[in-house]
Amino acid sequence: MKLSSSLKAAALAACSTTAASADTIVDIAAGDERFSTLVAAVTAADLVETLQGEGPFTVYAPINDAFAALPDGTVETLLQPENKDQLTNVLLYHVDDRDLPAAAIPMGSNYFKPVLASERLCITKSSDGVMIADGTGEMATVIIADIKADNGVIHVIDKVLLPGTRPACH
């Protein structure tokens, strides 16, 4: 999946900060090329200002390869203005309105409520790490935990979380 150069540039410009600014979740993502697709999506959904807000937030942030693994055309379709509501729902499924560092996630499997209030995630923490089941029943793996921001924390994941059926949470 390739984003146009102008879309990438617009997304980064919309998220750039001055030296006096705090390092919010959006600022950190915008400064890391691994999140360029996520930044473009947050920009298209008009969520930049929200995620630069006071928080606290925990964001399960998919890397570019996670977006690229979606069926062909999915990202491009979601980025179209007429699909803004659907894109917003997908993105809010990746956000918790608490500061949830990895140490605060209990061992075992537990339901967590993302900002997308009608949905649930099943987060499983074990000695092997942290996995997240989404509405498709598929699992994302936290590949980097606890990137601290001034308004919360980022956990980097290897899959785009998709709403749907409440995942089984043993």
Side-chain angles (χ1 to χ4, degrees):
M1 187 258 337
K2 295 186 181 203
L3 293 175
S4 71
S5 296
S6 60
L7 181 57
K8 282 184 186 179
L12 290 173
C15 297
S16 65
T17 61
T18 64
S21 298
D23 285 329
T24 66
I25 287 168
V26 173
D27 301 327
I28 291 168
D32 189 328
E33 182 60 30
R34 296 174 295 179
F35 301 118
S36 61
T37 306
L38 177 62
V39 170
V42 166
T43 302
D46 290 329
L47 291 173
V48 171
E49 188 174 317
T50 300
L51 293 175
Q52 285 181 326
E54 186 176 321
F57 302 109
T58 296
V59 174
Y60 308 106
I63 57 174
N64 292 341
D65 289 345
F67 284 98
L70 292 170
D72 286 345
T74 301
V75 174
E76 293 80 7
T77 299
L78 285 172
L79 290 174
Q80 294 173 357
E82 62 269 20
N83 298 319
K84 181 179 174 182
D85 289 343
Q86 185 179 2
L87 175 62
T88 300
N89 286 343
V90 168
L91 293 172
L92 292 178
Y93 195 49
H94 291 79
V95 180
D96 192 305
D97 61 0
R98 300 171 288 171
D99 186 350
L100 219 94
I105 298 172
M107 293 298 280
S109 296
N110 298 280
Y111 281 116
F112 283 79
K113 184 180 87 53
V115 172
L116 185 58
S118 62
E119 301 291 334
R120 296 292 179 269
L121 296 168
C122 180
I123 301 181
T124 302
K125 182 177 178 182
S126 72
S127 60
D128 294 331
V130 177
M131 304 282 290
I132 305 169
D134 68 4
T136 68
E138 294 185 29
M139 301 291 278
T141 301
V142 174
I143 55 176
I144 301 171
D146 295 336
I147 299 174
K148 291 299 293 171
D150 289 343
N151 62 344
V153 64
I154 300 168
H155 299 299
V156 182
I157 58 175
D158 63 354
K159 178 193 175 303
V160 176
L161 302 172
L162 298 172
T165 304
R166 180 180 271 206
C169 202
H170 318 339

